[in-house]
């Protein structure tokens, strides 16, 4: 039996990010575990307090492993916001793992809206000791379909306030209008050229649907299909033991923009928990309709110090050179940036 209380993150089971609440898992047999969860989702804009405007509860069951390779999960979850049904979904996950292959699939179906909220497939194949391939398929509403999406770009902050202007049926229609579907297909692979040098290639295509004008909110256009091609060389142990250097070339094209970017990113471990991370970026963009162009050159240096295993100090400084040309006027600007902070993992 496993129980957790407080702020936490639980992957799968229809849960969306962090939440404040309770989780209880009870093994029914060697291969079956039943779990129950209830709580309040965490609003990323208000991390320090418990937000009680939304509440959810859910049940799930984990099955496996079977044949030492298969694991399954089934879930049902319901979330309410301001006494509205915010989200009601059923779904499941399947995982397969072997020494040479792995696959993961997720289905999330909203029974209230009768819509497929998301479908995800990740597959990896090891062709040899030096070659791997992968395939990603991703279909989803973005943001995730909830009735609270009706609040997007509205002058009120709660569904209850929205009822002063719209009926519940109209609010649910607004939620659908503010939740465009996105689709992504990505195919790639890597090959080990030498002991310390690896090459990888990734090709992806994505698109986001248009959204209609409704409820006083303007329409948004579809992105059309956007293509992205990425070639990377990843080297290790070149300047000193355990260093990593990545040289990346990225080409992109959409209905409105062409892009080419070349980046250099290197991490050098030093003595006593110090790490140095020099970076350099060249980013060229062209607007297809107007032929406007921009070129950004951005060198930067990041220094990290990890003196205690859960606390890391970070500082970064750099220069940002930008040249823009609209066909009539060419502008050049220079900016400088500096940051100092820390990261505490808890």
């Amino acid at each position: 039996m496993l129980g957790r209380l407080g702020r936490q993150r639980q992957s799968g089971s229809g849960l969306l990010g962090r939440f404040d609440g309770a989780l209880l898992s009870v093994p029914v047999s060697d291969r079956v575990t039943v779990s129950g969860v209830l709580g309040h989702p965490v609003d990323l804009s208000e991390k320090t307090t418990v937000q009680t405007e939304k509440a959810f509860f859910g049940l799930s069951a984990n099955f496996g492993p079977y044949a030492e390779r298969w694991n399954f999960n089934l879930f049902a979850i319901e979330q309410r916001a301001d006494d509205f049904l915010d989200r009601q979904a059923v779904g499941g996950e399947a995982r397969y793992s072997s020494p040479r292959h792995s696959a993961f699939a997720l289905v999330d179906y909203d029974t209230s809206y009768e819509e497929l909220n998301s479908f995800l497939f990740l597959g990896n194949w090891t062709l040899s000791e030096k070659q791997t391939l992968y395939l990603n398929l991703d279909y989803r509403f973005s943001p995730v379909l909830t009735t609270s999406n009706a609040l997007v770009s509205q002058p009120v902050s709660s569904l209850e306030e929205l009822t002063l202007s719209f009926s519940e049926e109209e609010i649910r229609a607004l939620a659908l209008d503010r939740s465009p579907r996105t689709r992504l297909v990505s195919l790639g692979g890597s090959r080990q050229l030498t002991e310390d040098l690896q090459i990888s290639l990734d090709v992806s295509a994505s698109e986001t649907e248009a959204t209609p004008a409704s409820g006083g909110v303007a329409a948004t256009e579809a992105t059309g299909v956007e293509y992205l091609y990425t070639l990377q060389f990843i080297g290790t142990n070149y300047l000193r033991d355990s260093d990593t250097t990545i040289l990346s070339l990225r080409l992109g094209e959409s209905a409105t923009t062409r892009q080419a970017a070349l980046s250099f990113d290197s991490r050098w471990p030093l003595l006593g928990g110090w790490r140095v991370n020099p970076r350099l970026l060249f980013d060229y963009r062209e607007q297809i309709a107007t032929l406007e162009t921009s070129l950004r050159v951005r060198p930067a240096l990041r220094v990290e110090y990890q003196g205690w295993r859960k606390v890391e100090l970070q500082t970064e400084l750099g220069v940002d050179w930008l040249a823009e040309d609209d066909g009539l006027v060419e502008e050049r600007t220079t900016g400088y940036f500096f940051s100092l902070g820390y990261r505490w993992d808890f």
Side-chain angles (χ1 to χ4, degrees), residues 9 13 15 45 65 106 219 225 261 269 278 302:
R9 181 188 295 273
S13 303
L15 298 171
S45 65
L106 163 69
V225 181
R302 185 185 183 96

Side-chain angles (χ1 to χ4, degrees), residues 3-33:
R4 283 205 302 263
L5 181 65
R7 181 156 296 184
Q8 55 190 289
R9 181 188 295 273
Q10 176 72 12
S11 61
S13 303
L15 298 171
L16 307 175
R18 290 189 176 186
F19 66 93
D20 294 308
L23 169 71
L24 179 65
S25 298
V26 179
V28 177
S29 69
D30 291 343
R31 293 181 176 177
V32 180
T33 300

